Structure formats: C-alpha cells, structure tokens
Amino acid sequence: MIRLPRGFKSLLVVSFLSLTVLCLAGTAHATWYWTHGHSGHVQDPSTVTTAVPRATGLEISMYDSTAWVHYAVPTVGDTTQGAKKIRVRFNIVGGMDSRISAVKVYNGNELINTFTVNWHTPGWQTMTLDLGAIRLFPYGMGISLQLSAGPDSLTDSIIIGGAGANFVAK
C-alpha cells in the first residue's frame, strides 16, 4: 500500500473543489465599446464655425452658439448584454465659456436617458455617466452631446476624442 504524505489528501480535495468552482462559475464579462471622435455627426452645420476630423478626434470650433454632435456606438444587439455606463472623452481647447452641457443616450430612435452636465475644464478628460440600470440596446446605441460656446472674443474649440459604453451580462 502506498502511503501518501501527511496533508496530501486535504490538498487534493481543496484543489479539486477549487477547480470545480472555477469551471462552474461563468466568466465575468464587461467590455467597453468605443467609437472614435472623428466619426461624429454635427446635427446642424450652420451652428459651428468648423468641424474638422483629426487624428485625436473631431475638432469643433464655435462662436456664440449651441450644437448637437451625434455618435453611433458599436453595440451588442442581443438580450444577453446591456450597457450600464457610458463614457465621453474630450478636450476643451479654447474659450472661457465653452462646454459640453448635455448628453442624451438613445436606443435607436428611443430616448433612454438625458444628463445635464457642465463639463468646461480645459484639457483632456474622460467622463463616465451611469445609466442607473443595465439597459438593452437592440436597435443600436446613440450618444448625443450638446456643445455650447459663448460670445467671448475668440472662436472656441472642443475636441471630441470618443464616446463609448460598458456592455455587461444582463
């Protein structure tokens, strides 16, 4: 009869149970899907001075106006995953009164959520908004940003680097 070292049976049982738990537990799945900023669409081109696609994103210059910019975010369109959070990456470049003042989230043409924000600090930033619950987007996610610029002496610029959502298991 083979004699096993002391504690070997316990180690074998613990290893087997640990392996079983790992195999039976599903993988935690959360994936951020992003769209690059230069893919944004300005709703009314007459509200901006220029909208120039750049390597860093869509640079929008404005003077004393408000504009909406829309993004189509790559979407998991089934019922097993939904989004809980969205993010927007941007850079306020010029003007003391330029800002992102609202964010709207759509499922196709259905408005899911509206956020009133006041993002005006210069420099690159990534802001996260919580949708409150995991929401399904079977018709595709849209993120719309309201940009505002005041009547200061210069044309204001905002660069939108990207918009995205965190898709998680429902």
Side-chain angles (χ1 to χ4, degrees):
M1 178 175 200
I2 299 175
R3 190 156 184 86
L4 298 174
R6 173 173 268 186
F8 185 79
K9 287 182 185 178
S10 298
L11 179 63
L12 189 61
V13 169
V14 169
S15 297
F16 175 76
L17 290 176
S18 298
L19 184 60
T20 302
V21 168
L22 287 174
C23 290
L24 293 178
T27 57
H29 185 27
T31 304
W32 281 93
Y33 290 95
W34 283 87
T35 188
H36 194 277
H38 71 257
S39 66
H41 175 76
V42 177
Q43 180 172 313
D44 181 359
S46 70
T47 60
V48 302
T49 308
T50 60
V52 180
R54 302 217 184 272
T56 56
L58 182 63
E59 183 173 359
I60 299 168
S61 299
M62 306 168 61
Y63 176 78
D64 196 18
S65 64
T66 299
W68 282 96
V69 181
H70 307 287
Y71 288 92
V73 176
T75 305
V76 177
D78 63 26
T79 59
T80 63
Q81 292 188 38
K84 171 100 167 79
K85 296 180 180 180
I86 66 162
R87 283 190 180 152
V88 178
R89 180 149 172 77
F90 62 94
N91 183 0
I92 305 292
V93 179
M96 296 300 293
D97 52 3
S98 55
R99 67 191 67 252
I100 298 175
S101 52
V103 179
K104 292 185 177 185
V105 181
Y106 291 89
N107 174 29
N109 63 346
E110 176 191 0
L111 180 62
I112 298 297
N113 213 328
T114 300
F115 299 94
T116 301
V117 297
N118 187 21
W119 299 336
H120 62 276
T121 305
W124 281 104
Q125 301 167 66
T126 302
M127 303 300 276
T128 303
L129 296 170
D130 193 325
L131 297 174
I134 297 173
R135 301 295 306 252
L136 300 177
F137 289 87
Y139 302 111
M141 177 185 276
I143 296 178
S144 298
L145 308 174
Q146 184 181 43
L147 312 182
S148 302
D152 58 6
S153 60
L154 300 173
T155 299
D156 296 351
S157 291
I158 299 173
I159 301 171
I160 308 298
N166 186 23
F167 283 87
V168 297
K170 176 86 171 142

